[in-house]
């Protein structure tokens, strides 16, 4: 499988009468885009805003962030959700750097579960989205639209937009081409057979909250009964995996640019052999967790024949334990593991950082505490959250978890909790 | 501007005398005396020791609360910008007194404090979470070196400068976590750590393994037929309306709910605010969480002696260890007082 990400750099984003790329400036026909998105009967009152790095602007009610991508020579975009169900991960895909699509949630009253993005000030540097030009989509549910249907519609609007934007690079020579090619897992050339085989166990959803019917996560499947499954890493990079609707310190953008898959590709053939990816879900009950853990360990140790595995989680406490339980089962089969955890302490004490203590699970990297308070400085403009503007405009308090892109549980970020 | 510094010493380092003077109460001397002169030397032009508070080891140890209550006003009267206590080295009574005074000054006067002691001084374990305790030798043989490190950290605290990691600054880890920005993204660090582990090279986990105490299940000293059994859960069962206002996460409260006269739990009368798991099924039938129905059958058939008429419930998600331990102890105390012999604890 060979995936080419054909990157085009964008350094400006502007409203115009046509959607096209002019040099490095991306021009967007907001009216035409708004009309396209309004065809979804579940949405009403579409609003599109453009915000820029360095602008004293805060985006509120952030639900998810999507990277602009589009298949170049056929193939389906975001298969199973936007496009038809088809395999992803092969061929050429257009990708825009420096620009992102931000979807907001205008429905929920519990705004504490939503995040903000700061385009200037000290917090802009903590998030990838403080450094991108962002097209912000605000849309309201039409009468009678249930919560899950609304979120499905909002996400679909963002995916449509992401494809629309990326297609502008169709006739442009890319600034760089990234190639991801991994042969079938067992076929290791003899001269590289000494390298340790490393697998990645990617928890893609947590059943702490049941998924909606339209909450496609793996090729459009809401993963309600999913058992651990082996996928090619390119499928993840090419739109097969989307974040569900529970967005605790994880964005679809980070999955599309998956940092762990990139890190393993970067070392592949040099210090390790990338043996493959196992996708899992965090289960709701103990028998499900145990079943999932030993099935994962079997795939990692016996099917992929890995010597080592890295793990990431999604969601909160139960997924944290679920991940560690799988890692522990791997260790029992002789597979060395490293897990990426959040600092789970809610009172800032080192004693509360972990919710598990399993044999062998002793190598831990952390992505920081999402509970730690952070100050949001005053801004000149609030986008995506008119109703919250009075609060979000002035200096206010939030947490790291409330700053979208400051903590990405898949490991895309540099924030970490240090014990002092 | 030179900072005003107050030192705290015991009778020995304050030059009042040895063990025979260990009973003397708190007193204050203008300027630097005894070991406080080393503090003045380390301060140089950066600060002036304006007063030295001295208290005997026995007085401080035997009447600890009173000693601290008497010393805090003496410290306050000198209007310090920084308080330096000790160093106490391996002297146990002295170390505990340094920690106690620092904790009180920091909390009541909001003045920065620093103390120092040897790793095995009991004052370290008692106070390192609350105040900065600099690691020193066991004895005063390298007094000036140790004092210099105390003063260096104290000046940073007094000037509200950023404090580095424990190893870098030489203080005992306070067991607090703080977000910092690492040099590489977590994914790169995870792969590097795995390669080290695979190659059997040393690696530094970024999270300490917790020292969860092992609590063995006590033996049931009666037969089940004669035992009173209680049902307790952290799965979030509450009567409709959540009368105790148990938090959806990070709970600090629990509820005690009577099941007297009930052969089961009517779903219409109960709710579940728990935010840590999918509560669809336990809301549909609360027995999936708290099996009152089956327990009543066991009671009727004589398989158990009696079902305790109160169910205790809280929400176990993101709950701090401190609150978990407190709530557990309180519930256990009530169960014991009610003559309960055993508990069925259902978690989620």
């Amino acid at each position: 499988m060979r995936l080419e990400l054909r990157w085009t750099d964008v350094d400006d984003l502007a409203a115009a009468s046509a959607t096209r790329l002019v040099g490095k400036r991306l021009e967007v026909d907001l009216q035409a885009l708004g009309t396209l998105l309004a065809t979804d009967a579940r949405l009403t009152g579409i609003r599109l805003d453009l915000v820029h790095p360095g602008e004293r602007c805060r985006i509120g009610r952030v639900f998810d962030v999507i990277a602009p991508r589009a298949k170049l020579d056929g193939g389906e975009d975001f298969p199973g959700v936007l496009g038809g169900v088809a395999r992803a991960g092969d061929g050429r895909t257009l990708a825009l750097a420096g620009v992102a699509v931000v979807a907001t949630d205008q429905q929920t009253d519990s705004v504490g579960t939503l995040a903000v993005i700061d385009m200037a000030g000290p917090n802009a540097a903590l998030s990838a989205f403080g450094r991108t030009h962002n097209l912000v989509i605000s849309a309201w549910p039409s009468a009678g639209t249930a919560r899950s249907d609304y979120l499905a519609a909002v996400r679909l609007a963002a995916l449509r937009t992401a494809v629309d934007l990326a297609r502008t690079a169709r006739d442009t020579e890319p600034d760089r081409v990234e190639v991801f090619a991994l042969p079938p897992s067992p076929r290791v050339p003899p001269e590289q057979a000494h390298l340790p085989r490393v697998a990645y166990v990617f928890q893609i959803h947590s059943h702490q909250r049941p998924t909606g019917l339209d909450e496609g996560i793996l090729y459009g499947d809401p993963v309600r009964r999913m058992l651990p499954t082996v996928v090619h890493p390119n499928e993840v990079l090419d739109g097969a995996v989307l974040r569900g609707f529970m967005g605790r310190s994880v964005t679809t953008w980070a999955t599309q640019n998956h940092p762990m898959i990139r890190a393993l590709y970067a070392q592949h053939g040099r210090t390790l052999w990338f043996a493959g990816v196992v996708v899992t879900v965090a289960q709701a009950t103990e028998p499900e967790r145990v079943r999932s853990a030993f099935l994962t360990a079997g795939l990692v140790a016996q099917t992929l024949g890995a010597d080592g595995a890295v793990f990431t989680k999604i969601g909160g406490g139960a997924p944290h334990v679920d991940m560690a339980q799988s890692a522990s089962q791997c260790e029992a089969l002789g597979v060395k593991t490293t897990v990426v955890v959040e600092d789970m302490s809610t009172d800032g004490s080192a004693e509360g950082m972990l919710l598990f203590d399993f044999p062998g699970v002793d190598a831990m990297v952390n992505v920081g505490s999402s509970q730690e308070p952070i100050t949001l400085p005053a801004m000149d403009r609030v986008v995506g959250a008119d109703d919250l503007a009075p609060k979000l405009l002035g200096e206010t308090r939030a947490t790291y978890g409330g700053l979208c892109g400051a903590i990405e549980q898949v490991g895309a970020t540099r924030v970490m909790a240090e014990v002092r | 501007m030179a900072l005003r510094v107050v030192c705290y010493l015991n009778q020995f380092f304050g030059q009042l005398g040895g063990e025979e003077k260990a009973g003397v109460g708190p007193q204050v001397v203008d300027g630097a005396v005894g070991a406080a002169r080393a503090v003045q030397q380390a301060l140089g032009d950066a600060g002036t020791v304006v007063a030295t508070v001295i208290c005997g080891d026995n007085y401080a140890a035997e009447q600890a609360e009173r000693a601290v209550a008497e010393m805090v006003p003496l410290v306050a009267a000198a209007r310090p910008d920084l308080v330096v206590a000790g160093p106490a080295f391996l002297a146990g009574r002295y170390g505990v007194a340094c920690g106690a005074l620092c904790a009180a000054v920091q909390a009541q006067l909001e003045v920065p404090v620093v103390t120092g002691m040897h790793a095995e001084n009991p004052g370290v374990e008692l106070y390192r979470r609350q105040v900065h305790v600099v690691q020193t030798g066991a004895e005063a043989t390298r007094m000036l070196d140790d004092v210099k490190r105390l003063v260096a950290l104290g000046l940073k605290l007094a000037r509200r400068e950023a404090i580095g990691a424990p190893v870098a600054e030489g203080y005992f880890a306070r067991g607090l976590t703080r977000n910092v920005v690492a040099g590489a993204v977590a994914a790169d660090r995870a792969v590097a750590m795995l390669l080290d582990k695979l190659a059997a090279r040393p690696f530094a986990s970024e999270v300490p393994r917790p020292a969860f105490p092992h609590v063995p299940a006590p033996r049931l000293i009666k037969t089940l037929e004669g035992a009173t059994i209680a049902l307790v859960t952290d799965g979030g069962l509450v009567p409709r309306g959540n009368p105790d206002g148990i938090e959806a996460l990070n709970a600090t409260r629990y509820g005690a709910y009577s099941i007297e006269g009930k052969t089961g739990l009517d779903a219409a009368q109960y709710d579940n605010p728990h935010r840590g798991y999918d509560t669809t099924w336990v809301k549909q039938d609360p027995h999936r969480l708290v099996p009152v129905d089956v327990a009543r059958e066991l009671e009727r058939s004589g398989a158990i002696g009696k079902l305790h008429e109160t169910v205790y419930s809280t929400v176990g998600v993101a709950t701090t260890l401190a609150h978990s331990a407190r709530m557990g102890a309180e519930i256990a105390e009530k169960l014991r007082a009610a003559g309960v012999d055993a508990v069925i604890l259902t978690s989620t």
Side-chain angles (χ1 to χ4, degrees), chain A residues 176-196:
Chain A
R176 65 198 164 277
V177 176
E178 248 184 319
V179 178
F180 300 93
L182 197 62
S185 166
R187 294 193 194 149
V188 186
E191 65 276 16
Q192 290 179 315
H194 66 284
L195 294 172

Side-chain angles (χ1 to χ4, degrees), chain B residues 107-146:
Chain B
Q108 295 169 33
L109 307 181
E110 293 178 6
V111 169
V113 295
V114 65
T115 181
M117 46 196 103
H118 182 263
E120 284 164 32
N121 192 312
V124 173
E125 206 37 47
L126 282 171
Y127 290 103
R128 70 177 167 86
R129 287 172 189 79
Q130 296 167 58
V131 300
H132 287 93
V133 182
V134 169
Q135 183 160 13
T136 71
E139 291 169 11
T141 44
R142 294 185 184 190
M143 166 87 107
L144 189 59
D145 283 349
D146 285 335

Side-chain angles (χ1 to χ4, degrees), chain B residues 203-251:
Chain B
F203 60 89
S205 176
E206 295 174 2
V207 183
R209 290 280 286 278
F212 295 137
H214 181 69
V215 183
R219 287 174 58 85
L220 184 59
I221 48 176
K222 294 182 176 173
T223 59
L224 269 180
E225 291 85 346
T228 300
I229 311 289
L231 300 177
V232 177
T233 186
D234 71 347
L237 178 86
V238 296
R240 196 153 285 280
N242 192 5
D244 295 296
I246 299 177
E247 303 91 333
L249 64 147
N250 214 341

Side-chain angles (χ1 to χ4, degrees), chain A residues 378-395:
Chain A
M379 291 283 162
D380 295 340
R381 184 160 84 108
V382 168
V383 160
D386 288 352
D387 58 329
L388 305 176
K391 179 176 180 277
L392 289 181
L393 207 50
E395 180 179 302

Side-chain angles (χ1 to χ4, degrees), chain A residues 75-365:
Chain A
E76 298 290 335
D77 296 305
F78 303 110
V81 175
L82 178 62
V85 180
R87 194 152 190 238
D90 202 37
R92 299 190 296 173
T93 298
L94 300 168
L96 300 185
V99 59
V101 179
V102 176
T104 63
D105 175 356
Q106 302 297 328
Q107 186 180 46
T108 187
D109 293 327
S110 62
V111 290
T113 61
L114 296 173
V116 303
I117 295 169
D118 276 8
M119 301 308 297
N123 301 331
L126 285 177
S127 164
F129 317 121
R131 300 190 294 269
T132 50
H133 296 269
N134 298 320
L135 190 156
V136 184
I137 302 175
S138 304
W140 284 259
S142 56
T145 299
R147 175 88 183 131
S148 184
D149 292 333
Y150 167 68
L151 292 178
V154 164
R155 187 174 68 172
L156 201 59
L159 297 176
R160 273 198 178 118
T161 303
V163 173
D164 227 38
L165 298 187
R167 281 186 181 154
T168 60
R170 218 170 1 207
D171 304 319
T172 308
E173 199 53 36
D175 291 299
R176 65 198 164 277
V177 176
E178 248 184 319
V179 178
F180 300 93
L182 197 62
S185 166
R187 294 193 194 149
V188 186
E191 65 276 16
Q192 290 179 315
H194 66 284
L195 294 172
R197 297 173 60 84
V198 175
Y200 168 45
V201 180
F202 180 18
Q203 196 181 78
I204 59 173
H205 180 71
S206 159
H207 285 315
Q208 285 164 296
R209 191 192 54 78
T211 47
L213 281 177
D214 271 349
E215 193 173 345
I217 291 173
L218 177 65
Y219 284 115
D221 183 52
V223 300
R224 285 184 167 181
R225 303 297 306 162
M226 194 187 94
L227 292 170
T229 302
V230 175
V231 299
H232 193 285
N234 289 6
E235 297 180 83
V236 178
L237 294 173
D238 204 26
V241 176
L242 302 181
R243 194 203 74 186
F245 298 164
M246 190 173 82
R248 194 173 178 279
S249 300
V250 58
T251 61
T252 293
W253 189 94
T255 302
Q256 295 173 272
N257 291 290
H258 206 300
M260 194 65 79
I261 290 174
R262 282 171 176 280
L264 290 169
Y265 257 119
Q267 294 299 322
H268 175 68
R270 297 171 51 214
T271 59
L272 57 82
W273 186 264
F274 191 177
V277 175
V278 177
V279 290
T280 68
V281 292
Q283 302 287 355
T285 66
E286 181 65 8
E288 289 170 307
R289 259 193 293 280
V290 171
R291 185 187 302 127
S292 184
F294 70 67
L295 286 174
T296 298
L299 290 176
V300 168
Q302 284 140 6
T303 305
L304 297 178
D307 304 302
V310 277
F311 291 71
T312 61
K313 57 157 281 229
I314 204 163
H320 173 95
V321 177
D322 190 297
M323 169 182 70
Q325 214 159 327
S326 296
S328 180
Q329 290 282 341
C330 283
E331 290 277 352
L333 295 182
V335 177
K336 302 287 185 218
T337 63
T338 297
V339 299
V340 179
V341 297
E342 271 181 284
D343 168 6
M344 296 304 290
S345 173
T346 47
D347 61 356
S349 72
E351 285 95 340
M353 287 179 88
L354 282 188
L355 307 179
F356 60 80
D357 185 18
F358 289 117
V361 188
D362 56 359
M364 288 169 272
V365 162

